Amino acid sequence: MTQRNRWRIITGFVALVCGMSLLVNAATGAQAPFKIGFVIPLTGVYAALGEDMRDGFLLYWSQVGSKAGGRAVEVIVEDKGSNKPDDGLTKARKLVERDGVQVLAGVISSPVAVALREYAHAQKIPFIVANAGADVITQKLRSPYVFRASFSNSDSSHPLGEWAYKTGYRRMVLMASDYGAGYEHVGGIARTFIEAGGKIIQEIYSPLGTADFAPFISTIDRSGDVVAVFFAGADALRFVNQYAEYGLKGKIPLIGKGFLVDEVILPKLGDAALDIVTSLQWTPALETPDNKKFVEAYEAKTKRAATVYAEQGYVSAQMIARAMESVKGNVENRDAFLAALRKIEINAPRGKVRLDDYQNPIHTIYIRKVEKKGGKLQNTVIASYPNTGQFWKWSPEAYMAMPFYGDMKNKWVK
């Protein structure tokens, strides 16, 4: 471990509490701090996302004095430095086998999450996925030790497909980054849009990290009445701007997953983002007391706007804390701790969150529209789908009997 890549973070107050706890432990035999290993990228392409997720996670612990169920909590943050699964696995092993953490959490990218899923399952270590959305993690690769605080890639896609048809669209063009997450995000939209009676007339996939979308945008079938997409990060920034530059904005409505216009890039998009409709489980514009409290606290502590990644980090901490409270801090009783995690119900910034039998969130999915209020762009809620899970309106068995979205690439057009 190098000093540069290792982040051992105990907030000031928490450090005092933990230090005092150690002294008390020695004198009274009280419980040692509960250790949580948080694996995220703090360098590289996903650094900003990792930083937000870490700060949301730590915000919650600072609010509760880094204590739950009567037991102090120590968070050890590891920068995995890349998006390579092997790098994430190395950090996870270090956290568990050298630092002695009792829970793993974090992870931005799906390949890393899948690799850590295998490790956590083998080691029987509880693992809370705070972002990575690969559907398979909480479906066919479900593990009793793996929980998700964020989303599965297609869970907010299904409502968007249904909403698009009800809004009056009938001929949809699909566009996405050409990799597994892209297929899952737009596949969920396509499946429910078709089921409602709509038709997919074209599929277009561009390489991840496309610098110029012109060759792809120029091929969009103008007979479509809506374009549904999944792009994130720098790709989303470039795509939205070029969609407007090529004169399609205002002619063919653009809809997609929330990462297309998330709060990391929304300020940089300007008016090119206006009127874009997306789906996600959260928006800072959600007008509830819990969300307002979270957004204000996050911005006060970090001097940055709250993002979905920060909210997911915060919810991950809430889940762990609630389970610790249920077992009164006795996390060494792993079976009881796992059972408590499966039963959690929390009032998160996004609203009520509970888990399905596959340990993926059941929560409200919001259909949001980019509007300008007070001179600032925001994702305003225009429709809500409460109690939405990854299997939508199908049973888990029926859903998983259908083709994987990854196998449906270039098969939606009939």
Side-chain angles (χ1 to χ4, degrees), residues 324-344:
M324 289 181 66
E325 290 163 2
S326 295
V327 299
K328 296 180 171 54
N330 183 19
V331 295
E332 282 73 18
N333 186 343
R334 189 170 295 176
D335 288 342
F337 183 66
L338 290 168
L341 274 171
R342 295 184 188 107
K343 294 177 182 176
I344 64 102

Side-chain angles (χ1 to χ4, degrees), residues 240-254 270-276 370:
V240 171
N241 280 321
Q242 289 192 269
Y243 194 83
E245 290 167 6
Y246 276 79
L248 290 178
K249 181 175 176 57
K251 293 182 178 177
I252 307 179
L254 181 60
D271 289 351
L274 280 171
D275 299 325
I276 292 176
V370 177

